[in-house]
Amino acid sequence: MLTDTYGRVATDLRVSLTDRCNLRCTYCMPEEGLQWLAKPDLLTDDEIVRLVGVAVTRLGVTEVRFTGGEPLLRPGLVGIVERCAALDPRPRLSLTTNGIGLARTARALKDAGLDRVNVSLDTLRPDVFATLTRRKRHQDVLDGLAAARAAGLTPVKVNAVLMPGHNDDEAPDLLAWAVENDYELRFIEQMPLDAQHGWQRDGMITAEAVLASLRTRFTLTPEGDDERGSAPAERWLVDGGPARVGVIGSVTRPFCAACDRTRLTADGQIRTCLFATEESDLRGALRSGAGDAEIARLWQQAMRGKKAGSGLDDPSFLQPARPMSAIGG
């Protein structure tokens, strides 16, 4: 078991497969100048599958989410999914993606054993998409979402971040579109993920502001804590259901007390929190010949150092120096 000193048990593993991305979202990374990880520093496909296997068979992990950067850029992705789906016990497998390339890969990923996807899409307007991502790929994301739904990678969840002066007026339109297309929409408060450290707390669209905007057009009925469990999103029934919308208030409504996540970076480091300032090296242990029992022990030791919270709700919070693209969302 991966238990921390506050009694939380990590059963959800987030695995970053690459630090690279084919978008340059303004709230995530600068347009240019990022230093990518060298290939020898990245975990190999075999190393990823082995570490996931240790987590699942020895440490009680039941859910695995593949992230990035952009995980669809990982050449061996389908094979990694297939091998992880063959583990006993079989974990639930999901993927967080920007959707570019998903139209080509959704069916193969489903056949390999992927259960569902989360796709990032912040706007319905192609011009705003180009401004926010610095790329003209809006239609590719829409095509990827449709392909995921057709392949059965459901529920297809759409993650949206609202940015002042860009798409802060789009919450009701995004929800109407999601309901029409049978996607589950989740709004995420903008977090300090940008390598250029441009995040400003007072410029963030809060969870309360999102909900107020949605209520101008929809009736929202809270699901309640029993339904939420350890999920980061608070969810509401839309106009009585069955459609739902979620809001992840990472900054203003933190959910750290129920956190059940552990994170493996693209270069083989364990992070106990997305915003942790410390990491524990598993890649070095792997490559020096450590057995699975030793890897499990090191992982458990790392989790005992997990802090009570992320610190995001503290006005004096300082962003980690390490780019988030290698850490995974």
Side-chain angles (χ1 to χ4, degrees):
M1 301 278 285
L2 291 171
T3 306
D4 64 31
T5 57
Y6 298 92
R8 296 169 297 193
V9 179
T11 57
D12 185 336
L13 170 61
R14 308 295 170 96
V15 182
S16 175
L17 298 180
T18 178
D19 60 331
R20 297 176 183 268
C21 188
N22 41 13
L23 296 180
R24 293 292 181 273
C25 296
T26 55
Y27 53 78
C28 186
M29 61 176 65
E31 187 169 8
E32 56 186 22
L34 270 179
Q35 186 69 41
W36 304 118
L37 291 169
K39 188 173 181 179
D41 293 335
L42 293 170
L43 292 175
T44 66
D45 293 3
D46 288 343
E47 288 170 337
I48 290 169
V49 173
R50 183 180 168 197
L51 289 174
V52 172
V54 169
V56 170
T57 63
R58 291 176 176 263
L59 296 173
V61 164
T62 58
E63 298 188 35
V64 177
R65 172 90 61 87
F66 298 109
T67 69
E70 174 45 52
L72 293 182
L73 296 180
R74 178 87 186 200
L77 173 61
V78 173
I80 291 170
V81 170
E82 186 172 30
R83 292 167 68 186
C84 290
L87 292 169
D88 186 15
R90 184 198 188 281
R92 291 185 292 275
L93 300 174
S94 60
L95 178 83
T96 294
T97 171
N98 61 29
I100 296 174
L102 192 55
R104 298 189 303 272
T105 56
R107 174 51 61 186
L109 288 167
K110 178 65 176 179
D111 291 344
L114 192 70
D115 294 306
R116 64 170 192 84
V117 293
N118 285 38
V119 179
S120 299
L121 181 65
D122 302 323
T123 178
L124 299 176
R125 304 194 292 249
D127 59 326
V128 175
F129 182 90
T131 298
L132 289 174
T133 68
R134 305 185 178 104
R135 299 291 188 272
K136 295 181 179 180
R137 306 296 298 272
H138 189 256
Q139 188 59 49
D140 292 327
V141 180
L142 295 180
D143 292 345
L145 279 161
R149 184 185 57 206
L153 292 170
T154 54
V156 176
K157 296 184 179 181
V158 178
N159 296 338
V161 176
L162 299 183
M163 301 287 289
H166 294 290
N167 61 341
D168 49 338
D169 61 336
E170 282 197 72
D173 290 339
L174 280 163
L175 181 53
W177 166 82
V179 170
E180 180 182 353
N181 288 279
D182 199 25
Y183 303 139
E184 184 175 320
L185 180 63
R186 307 193 311 174
F187 292 97
I188 304 175
E189 286 183 339
Q190 184 197 358
M191 294 181 287
L193 303 178
D194 55 324
Q196 66 269 39
H197 289 208
W199 179 73
Q200 297 292 327
R201 185 181 300 272
D202 56 5
M204 176 186 65
I205 306 298
T206 66
E208 280 301 325
V210 171
L211 291 169
S213 179
L214 293 177
R215 287 182 174 123
T216 63
R217 197 182 304 179
F218 302 95
T219 299
L220 303 181
T221 307
E223 270 196 333
D225 292 339
D226 290 342
E227 291 288 338
R228 181 181 184 183
S230 61
E234 297 177 79
R235 296 200 307 178
W236 284 261
L237 294 173
V238 179
D239 291 340
R244 291 170 171 81
V245 63
V247 177
I248 300 178
S250 302
V251 180
T252 64
R253 300 160 86 137
F255 41 85
C256 300
C259 180
D260 65 349
R261 284 168 287 288
T262 182
R263 299 175 183 275
L264 179 64
T265 70
D267 55 352
Q269 310 300 304
I270 288 299
R271 291 179 68 94
T272 58
C273 174
L274 185 61
F275 296 98
T277 56
E278 296 151 358
E279 298 175 335
S280 300
D281 181 24
L282 292 189
R283 185 191 64 198
L286 271 178
R287 295 181 181 179
S288 64
D292 287 357
E294 175 63 8
I295 296 295
R297 185 192 69 78
L298 291 172
W299 207 325
Q300 289 171 320
Q301 179 178 300
M303 291 304 294
R304 284 193 288 273
K306 184 170 184 171
K307 295 181 180 179
S310 66
L312 280 175
D313 54 340
D314 183 348
S316 64
F317 173 80
L318 295 176
Q319 295 176 230
R322 179 165 157 88
M324 289 294 172
S325 58
I327 297 167

